[in-house]
C-alpha cells in the first residue's frame, strides 16, 4: 500500500531545544536576576545535568520524590511542570523566580530551532499532496511554536501525549494520528529519533524512519531521505 501520509516526532526530529546556556541566559534576562558571568556556564551545565531542560539531556539521577512524576511526565500538563521545575530546583539558583521562568522559557518559540531541512521537507510533502501529523510525547501545547516558525500551515494534525493521557509507543497515539489524517497505518510513515518510542509505530504496520537527535548545526539534511522513501 502506498504511503500517503507522514507522522513526525517533534523534539530531536523537526526541532531542537536551545543550548542550556542560552536557556538560562534568557531566564536571567526575563527576571532581572543576576549571576556572575563566569558562573553562567557552570550553572547551565548543572541544570542540564539535573535534567531541568526538557528536550535536552535526561537527568543523571532522579530524586526519589520525583520518580512518579518522571514516569508520567508527558501524560498531563501540571505534572510536567512540577517535574521539570523540581529537577531544576536540584540546582540552587540566586532567585526563586528563575525556576518558573526556566520552565516558561522552554515552551516559547524562541527556545526551539527547526532543523535546516524541516521547512523544505514539509513543503515538499505538501507539494506532493501528502498529509502530515505531528505525534509527540510532550506536556504542553507546541502548536504556537510551529506557528511562530512558519510550519503550522504545513501540519494537518497534532497528536500530543498530554492531550490523550498516554505516550508513545502506545498504539493509541499512532492510531489517533492516522485517523486524523484519514489513513490506514499501512499508508503512513513515522519519522522520529527514538527507536523504542517512535519505532513502536511499526507494530501497527506503519513504515518507520529514524533520524539522529543532534544539534541543528550538525544535522543539516537528516530529514531529506524521507522524500526518497516515498517514491
Amino acid at each position: 500500500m502506498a504511503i500517503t501520509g507522514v507522522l513526525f516526532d517533534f523534539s530531536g526530529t523537526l526541532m531542537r531545544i536551545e543550548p542550556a546556556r542560552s536557556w538560562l541566559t534568557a531566564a536571567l534576562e526575563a527576571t532581572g536576576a543576576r549571576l556572575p558571568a563566569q558562573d553562567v556556564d557552570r550553572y547551565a551545565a548543572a541544570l542540564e545535568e539535573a535534567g531541568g531542560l526538557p528536550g535536552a539531556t535526561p537527568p543523571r539521577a532522579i530524586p526519589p520524590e520525583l520518580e512518579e512524576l518522571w514516569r508520567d511526565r508527558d501524560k498531563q500538563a501540571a505534572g510536567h511542570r512540577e517535574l521539570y521545575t523540581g529537577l531544576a530546583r536540584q540546582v540552587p539558583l540566586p532567585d526563586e523566580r528563575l525556576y518558573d521562568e526556566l520552565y516558561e522559557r522552554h515552551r516559547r518559540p524562541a527556545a526551539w530551532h527547526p532543523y535546516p531541512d524541516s521547512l523544505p521537507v514539509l513543503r515538499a510533502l505538501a507539494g506532493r499532496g501528502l498529509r502530515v501529523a505531528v505525534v509527540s510525547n510532550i506536556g504542553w501545547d507546541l502548536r504556537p511554536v510551529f506557528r511562530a516558525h512558519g510550519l503550522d500551515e504545513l501540519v494537518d494534525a497534532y497528536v500530543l501525549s498530554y492531550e490523550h493521557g498516554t505516550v508513545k509507543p502506545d498504539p493509541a497515539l499512532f492510531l489517533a494520528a492516522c485517523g486524523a489524517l484519514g489513513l490506514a497505518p499501512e499508508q503512513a510513515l513515522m519519522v522520529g529519533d527514538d527507536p523504542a518510542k517512535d519505532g513502536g509505530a511499526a507494530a501497527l504496520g506503519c513504515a518507520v524512519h529514524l533520524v539522529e537527535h543532534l544539534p541543528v548545526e550538525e544535522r543539516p539534511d537528516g530529514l531529506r531521505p524521507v522524500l526518497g522513501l516515498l517514491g
Side-chain angles (χ1 to χ4, degrees), residues 1-224:
M1 189 176 292
I3 292 173
T4 54
V6 184
L7 318 180
F8 284 98
D9 174 51
F10 166 53
S11 176
T13 300
L14 288 173
M15 298 193 199
R16 168 92 177 205
I17 191 66
E18 67 185 328
R21 192 185 197 285
S22 63
W23 170 61
L24 175 58
T25 299
L28 289 167
E29 292 175 351
T31 59
R34 297 185 179 277
L35 281 173
Q38 65 270 24
D39 289 344
V40 173
D41 285 335
R42 178 170 61 85
Y43 275 95
L47 285 163
E48 187 167 14
E49 183 174 324
L53 176 55
T57 307
R60 293 189 63 178
I62 301 169
E65 68 273 16
L66 297 179
E67 287 178 355
E68 184 175 354
L69 287 171
W70 175 258
R71 288 192 297 270
D72 294 336
R73 62 192 179 277
D74 293 320
K75 293 182 180 179
Q76 46 101 8
H80 191 271
R81 173 186 284 275
E82 184 179 354
L83 169 69
Y84 283 101
T85 54
L87 290 170
R89 281 189 169 90
Q90 305 307 302
V91 180
L93 295 174
D95 190 319
E96 177 65 21
R97 296 175 300 162
L98 282 167
Y99 299 109
D100 283 329
E101 180 57 34
L102 285 168
Y103 186 82
E104 291 303 322
R105 168 66 185 184
H106 104 275
R107 301 195 305 172
R108 295 189 180 114
W112 291 90
H113 304 290
Y115 283 94
D117 57 347
S118 291
L119 182 57
V121 167
L122 290 175
R123 280 178 173 163
L125 294 175
R128 296 186 188 188
L130 274 73
R131 293 173 62 77
V132 167
V134 172
V135 187
S136 178
N137 285 355
I138 196 164
W140 49 277
D141 186 4
L142 53 72
R143 295 173 182 86
V145 175
F146 277 73
R147 285 196 292 271
H149 287 288
L151 303 182
D152 181 64
E153 63 183 14
L154 300 170
V155 177
D156 299 291
Y158 295 89
V159 177
L160 310 182
S161 62
Y162 84 101
E163 295 180 338
H164 293 260
T166 189
V167 296
K168 296 179 291 187
D170 187 339
L173 290 181
F174 303 117
L175 286 172
C178 290
L181 299 183
L183 307 176
E186 295 81 5
Q187 295 174 289
L189 170 67
M190 177 68 211
V191 181
D193 66 299
D194 190 308
K197 296 173 183 176
D198 301 313
L204 295 174
C206 299
V208 174
H209 177 72
L210 296 174
V211 297
E212 292 186 273
H213 188 151
L214 295 171
V216 291
E217 65 273 11
E218 296 178 23
R219 210 196 77 192
D221 54 6
L223 292 172
R224 290 190 185 276

